[in-house]
Amino acid sequence: MANVTVIGAQWGDEGKGKLVDWLSNRADVVVRFQGGHNAGHTLVVGNQTYKLSLLPSGVVQGKLSVIGNGVVVDPWHLLEEIDKLRGQGVAITPDLLVLADNACLILPLHRDLDRAREAAATQKIGTTGRGIGPAYEDKVGRRAIRVADLADREALEAKIDRLLSHHGPLRRGLGLPEADPAAMLAELEAMAPKILPYAKPAWRLLDEQVKAGKRVLFEGAQGALLDVDHGTYPFVTSSNTVAGQAAAGSGLGPKGPGYVLGIVKAYTTRVGEGPFPTELTDEVGRHLGEVGREVGTVTGRSRRCGWFDAALVRQSVALNGIGGIALTKLDVLDGLPTLKICIGYKLGEEALDYLPAGLKAQGQLVPVYEEMEGWSETTQGARSWRDLPANAVKYVRRIEELIGAPVALLSTSPQRDDTILMRDPFQD
Ligand code: IMP
């Protein structure tokens, strides 16, 4: 099977960036297919750290990188990120980076709306404040400005009018200043010549690449439990984050995604608000946060931490068609005397082996735990299965059994080469 899709199988921040960077070596093209610059992908290569939010992680390895139509793109942020990476010595040219000409734009008014709503809300979502939700609303509301519109002044003017007739009342209601259509047009026209060189029909390029036998790596952002349909709604992001979206969000068709590799952290974290059955607010939770350096790449917020939730990941395996997982951050569990794995939930007297859809039910779940003995040795930097303590191996094997998917890769530090390969996703 030629293509691989990498997705987060929990609430995001599973360490996708490192794995995508590692797999990029074996791929010809790397594609983002949903989300926007709400994502934060950290790649550590030698003594260089690259922090990406919008660019596909493949750019660091000089791979053809595509921002697909399913992504919402803040063009000013994109230009800044390109500059920042260039400053770190990464070459980014229109030959290497392709932006789908039918992707929708995130504009400053989306960011304003996102932040003003969060500030005013009694029930906050805890968004990244980057305008993601409002941009997707305009996309499905059929009033978004798309990349291709930047080349057409007339279309742009008409679209700005239409957009502002929607946003005007919203802004007024939230006490935001009136948006000025002439200033908006001027800003867009000033930016357009810098963005348009990257704009292409990405679906066509991908079709050609696949026909030429090239390998495509799809890079998911966020995680399956933040999916707008399947996640802990409404405490989710505004895109479909599941693997199936790789097809629609790139234009490559249903066979495009290929083998699905789920990235799974050896415990659970979440940023922002919403249900989290195995959350630990005690000393162990703080320990996981400190040792795992669980601070958001984009927002700098501390992540909430908890025990591994096998019921949740089992659900994710089904939702995404996961063929195998990459287990990350096992070393964060080093030294804990006892480990707990959630194998299901109690909802009142009822036993459940999945996360129910209702928000109230999700908030009332009591996890059912299985306990395992921990290990005192370090697993950090292990490069072979034989380097792992027996109890760590038992923990990994038990996770495989409970979630119904094999471990294809084990990541033992943020460094690119600290990775144990059990089976090559590109060959599966
Ligand atoms: P939004 O995507 O900015 O609208 O935020 C909606 C929810 O998704 C919030 O709970 C965010 O914390 C969460 N979220 C968005 N992007 C990421 C990510 O890359 N990692 C983890 N959580 C994220």
Side-chain angles (χ1 to χ4, degrees):
M1 195 177 280
N3 298 344
V4 172
T5 295
V6 170
I7 52 96
Q10 293 149 313
W11 275 293
D13 308 316
E14 298 90 353
K16 291 180 288 296
K18 171 190 158 167
L19 271 306
V20 172
D21 170 61
W22 193 82
L23 287 166
S24 290
N25 240 337
R26 299 164 148 77
D28 302 293
V29 192
V30 182
V31 184
R32 278 280 309 264
F33 56 90
Q34 49 70 230
H37 64 313
N38 49 347
H41 293 167
T42 306
L43 322 182
V44 183
V45 185
N47 54 11
Q48 277 271 27
T49 299
Y50 304 93
K51 287 190 185 284
L52 309 178
S53 293
L54 185 55
L55 288 167
S57 298
V59 286
V60 173
Q61 300 222 19
K63 298 290 171 167
L64 178 58
S65 297
V66 176
I67 299 177
N69 56 277
V71 176
V72 279
V73 180
D74 178 330
W76 297 279
H77 176 91
L78 177 59
L79 293 170
E80 261 172 44
E81 203 169 304
I82 290 173
D83 274 353
K84 198 176 87 190
L85 278 200
R86 279 194 184 132
Q88 288 186 279
V90 178
I92 301 178
T93 64
D95 287 334
L96 279 179
L97 176 67
V98 171
L99 171 61
D101 54 5
N102 54 349
C104 293
L105 298 184
I106 301 182
L107 305 172
L109 49 72
H110 295 124
R111 192 189 50 221
D112 294 347
L113 191 55
D114 193 359
R115 292 184 184 174
R117 277 180 180 160
E118 281 284 283
T122 41
Q123 178 68 285
K124 297 187 196 311
I125 302 289
T127 72
T128 58
R130 298 205 152 183
I132 307 296
Y136 276 117
E137 285 170 35
D138 282 342
K139 173 178 175 169
V140 297
R142 295 169 292 194
R143 56 182 170 263
I145 294 178
R146 307 206 299 178
V147 172
D149 298 328
L150 293 173
D152 181 348
R153 188 191 161 105
E154 242 176 77
L156 211 48
E157 272 177 312
K159 285 210 161 185
I160 289 174
D161 283 347
R162 183 161 148 63
L163 200 58
L164 291 190
S165 68
H166 178 79
H167 280 263
L170 290 175
R171 292 178 72 85
R172 261 167 256 138
L174 286 160
L176 290 166
E178 281 304 305
D180 173 0
M184 236 176 109
L185 181 65
E187 262 186 287
L188 288 167
E189 286 199 306
M191 168 272 292
K194 296 182 210 145
I195 283 289
L196 284 171
Y198 300 102
K200 291 196 188 111
W203 65 269
R204 195 158 177 267
L205 173 95
L206 288 172
D207 187 47
E208 283 162 10
Q209 291 284 319
V210 167
K211 283 181 177 146
K214 305 288 187 193
R215 293 166 152 190
V216 184
L217 177 61
F218 289 96
E219 176 176 17
Q222 291 85 46
L225 271 300
L226 288 171
D227 183 280
V228 68
D229 286 294
H230 299 289
T232 43
Y233 190 91
F235 299 99
V236 292
T237 191
S238 295
S239 62
N240 282 111
T241 57
V242 290
Q245 175 63 15
S250 68
L252 196 52
K255 286 195 189 137
Y259 176 91
V260 180
L261 181 71
I263 314 300
V264 176
K265 206 181 272 192
Y267 49 101
T268 315
T269 62
R270 132 161 247 184
V271 243
E273 305 303 315
F276 181 173
T278 62
E279 181 170 13
L280 293 166
T281 50
D282 60 1
E283 206 34 59
V284 182
R286 275 190 290 284
H287 174 87
L288 294 175
E290 266 168 43
V291 180
R293 292 198 199 92
E294 295 295 353
V295 177
T297 315
V298 170
T299 57
R301 289 180 292 181
S302 293
R303 298 179 186 136
R304 300 153 64 192
C305 299
W307 291 121
F308 186 81
D309 188 339
L312 197 122
V313 176
R314 188 163 58 231
Q315 189 157 335
S316 211
V317 167
L319 292 170
N320 291 284
I322 287 173
I325 66 162
L327 193 66
T328 63
K329 297 187 108 170
L330 186 66
D331 56 294
V332 176
L333 303 178
D334 292 353
L336 286 174
T338 308
L339 302 173
K340 290 188 185 181
I341 300 180
C342 168
I343 53 170
Y345 314 105
K346 285 295 282 268
L347 179 61
E349 287 308 300
E350 196 186 353
L352 287 179
D353 63 358
Y354 68 97
L355 195 77
L359 189 62
K360 190 161 153 232
Q362 286 176 359
Q364 291 173 346
L365 296 174
V366 178
V368 178
Y369 286 117
E370 191 173 279
E371 283 195 8
M372 292 186 76
E373 217 181 296
W375 54 91
S376 53
E377 306 89 325
T378 177
T379 59
Q380 191 173 33
R383 293 199 181 172
S384 130
W385 194 236
R386 286 184 304 275
D387 296 340
L388 297 178
N391 281 351
V393 173
K394 268 195 210 157
Y395 184 74
V396 175
R397 291 296 184 221
R398 185 64 184 136
I399 284 178
E400 286 182 319
E401 246 167 44
L402 287 168
I403 66 170
V407 172
L409 290 143
L410 200 66
S411 159
T412 56
S413 98
Q415 287 290 346
R416 184 186 276 168
D417 295 328
D418 290 340
T419 306
I420 304 174
L421 176 68
M422 326 284 246
R423 47 214 286 177
D424 185 347
F426 277 109
Q427 249 129 60
D428 240 306

